[in-house]
């Protein structure tokens, strides 16, 4: 796709899964959980503990947060989040461009 290959998450047709597909998948998971939790809470006569909506953007923020918690250099975080994630292909497995694009460390 666009000269890139090696995507981690692919559709059954071998195409990379785009953020809208991930969002749909996450929405279905949250809805299924909340439906089951609501039913169980009603049976147990308690308030349900529902999951909030989750999106691919939420996962992006979580990833960045975890990098920060692990003391990753902010320049590396900026590179990872700005360069790879904004490329339109968020699940690329190819990290070999890190050195050639100026990333200061090997983050594999």
């Amino acid at each position: 796709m666009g000269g890139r290959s090696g995507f981690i998450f692919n559709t059954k047709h071998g195409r990379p899964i785009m953020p809208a597909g991930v969002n749909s998948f996450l929405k279905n998971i949250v809805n299924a959980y909340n439906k089951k939790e609501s039913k169980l809470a009603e049976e147990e006569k308690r308030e349900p503990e529902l999951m909030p909506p989750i999106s691919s953007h939420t996962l992006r923020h979580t990833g960045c947060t975890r990098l920060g918690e692990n003391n990753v250099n902010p320049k590396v975080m900026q590179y990872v989040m700005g360069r790879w994630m904004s490329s339109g292909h968020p699940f690329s497995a190819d990290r070999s461009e890190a050195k050639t694009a100026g990333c200061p460390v090997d983050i594999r």
Side-chain angles (χ1 to χ4, degrees):
M1 173 162 215
R4 296 176 186 258
S5 63
F7 295 99
I8 296 172
F9 299 103
N10 297 306
T11 67
K12 63 183 175 183
H13 303 293
R15 307 285 297 168
I17 297 175
M18 301 320 272
V22 174
N23 289 339
S24 177
F25 181 72
L26 293 170
K27 182 179 179 181
N28 290 340
I29 290 172
V30 170
N31 287 343
Y33 171 84
N34 286 344
K35 183 177 179 181
K36 188 180 261 188
E37 169 61 13
S38 293
K39 183 178 179 185
L40 184 61
E42 186 177 328
E43 291 171 2
E44 296 175 353
K45 298 183 184 352
R46 61 174 174 81
E47 289 295 314
E49 295 181 30
L50 303 179
M51 286 181 67
I54 302 172
S55 69
S56 58
H57 195 74
T58 305
L59 298 179
R60 173 185 166 88
H61 279 269
T62 301
C64 191
T65 298
R66 298 299 172 255
L67 291 173
E69 289 172 349
N70 285 283
N71 300 314
V72 171
N73 182 310
K75 286 291 185 188
V76 174
M77 290 171 55
Q78 181 182 20
Y79 179 82
V80 170
M81 301 308 290
R83 169 80 178 188
W84 292 330
M85 298 300 281
S86 68
S87 69
H89 308 291
F91 303 111
S92 175
D94 181 29
R95 299 290 190 249
S96 61
E97 72 182 69
K99 290 293 185 186
T100 60
C103 185
V105 296
D106 183 359
I107 61 168
R108 280 183 253 189

